[in-house]
Amino acid sequence: MKVGLYFGTFNPIHVGHLTIANHLAEYSDLDKIWFVVTPHSPFKKKSSLLDNRQRYEMVYRATEDYSKLEPSDIEFNLPQPNYTINTLTYLKEKYPDYTFALIMGEDNLKSFHKWKNYELILDNHDIYVYPRISEGHIETQFDNHTKIHKVDAPIMELSSTFIRNSIKEGKNVRPMLPEHVWEYLDEMNFYK
């Protein structure tokens, strides 16, 4: 089984995240997409970041109707601060029969050369890159790299920050969120 790992804080998960993940599940060779909820670093003060379990709950609610999309709390039990290479190493040991690939936006690929052990990640894992409108350029070493696959997914210019700020301002953000996520946010009074 080939699993695409879609890392993020998902604070909150929104229809842009789902659209990208579902596109990859349907139009690539990935069998499943795991939304890897990134834990709140104990070393950072970030009052707008909901608790790990609350964000996991939102991802769970957003993906429960999609057979190829799943939430993952795999990083919750890893030492913090954590690096992607550590998560990949752990997953390889825990699921030896699975192949894991990374999913990232084009904006992240532009800074990928700064990631810890990025060469090791590239040696052992495919990377699926979806388009993003962003500044900067992609390092030439990543142009036409056999492990980097550019995906012709829709460009989603929707951010969790925009959604949080809009909720705080009393705006109706319901169309931007999966129905079950909106209900949960509304019920819990998150981001108000």
Side-chain angles (χ1 to χ4, degrees):
M1 170 144 31
K2 190 167 187 180
V3 178
L5 303 171
Y6 193 178
F7 290 85
T9 55
F10 304 113
N11 187 39
I13 187 170
H14 53 68
V15 295
H17 296 128
L18 275 183
T19 301
I20 297 291
N22 190 65
H23 184 91
L24 282 154
E26 296 298 330
Y27 299 101
S28 76
D29 63 345
L30 298 172
D31 300 303
K32 292 251 185 206
I33 309 295
W34 289 0
F35 285 84
V36 181
V37 181
T38 305
H40 182 196
S41 170
F43 307 104
K44 289 184 183 173
K45 290 266 184 251
K46 190 118 192 228
S47 60
S48 64
L49 187 63
L50 293 181
D51 176 77
N52 296 342
R53 286 282 155 210
Q54 292 167 331
R55 291 180 291 115
Y56 178 86
E57 178 66 22
M58 286 191 287
V59 174
Y60 172 81
R61 289 176 183 224
T63 58
E64 63 184 328
D65 293 335
Y66 297 86
S67 62
K68 295 179 182 178
L69 309 182
E70 294 178 12
S72 171
D73 62 0
I74 201 86
E75 290 197 327
F76 290 6
N77 302 314
L78 296 178
Q80 296 298 316
N82 187 36
Y83 296 97
T84 302
I85 187 67
N86 299 346
T87 304
L88 291 167
T89 302
Y90 176 78
L91 285 170
K92 202 171 188 174
E93 289 170 10
K94 187 168 169 125
Y95 302 98
D97 298 335
Y98 288 22
T99 303
F100 292 99
L102 288 184
I103 296 169
M104 69 173 66
E106 205 172 301
D107 51 334
N108 283 321
L109 183 61
K110 290 174 184 174
S111 61
F112 184 62
H113 63 286
K114 297 177 183 173
W115 288 29
K116 181 178 180 174
N117 295 71
Y118 79 89
E119 303 98 332
L120 194 57
I121 294 173
L122 263 182
D123 287 345
N124 296 292
H125 303 276
D126 286 329
I127 299 178
Y128 292 76
V129 180
Y130 58 89
R132 293 290 302 262
I133 297 170
S134 62
E135 299 293 316
H137 69 283
I138 295 170
E139 295 284 307
T140 52
Q141 63 182 320
F142 302 140
D143 284 342
N144 305 314
H145 195 287
T146 55
K147 294 275 194 170
I148 297 175
H149 312 280
K150 293 204 174 164
V151 180
D152 188 22
I155 296 176
M156 303 301 295
E157 287 302 303
L158 181 58
S159 77
S160 297
T161 304
F162 175 78
I163 291 171
R164 287 193 309 274
N165 292 340
S166 297
I167 290 172
K168 195 174 278 186
E169 293 168 12
K171 307 286 187 204
N172 182 357
V173 296
R174 194 172 183 169
M176 300 176 208
L177 299 164
E179 187 66 26
H180 301 308
V181 172
W182 184 86
E183 289 166 358
Y184 183 61
L185 288 180
D186 192 49
E187 173 193 330
M188 301 295 281
N189 280 316
F190 288 148
Y191 309 122
K192 291 186 177 172

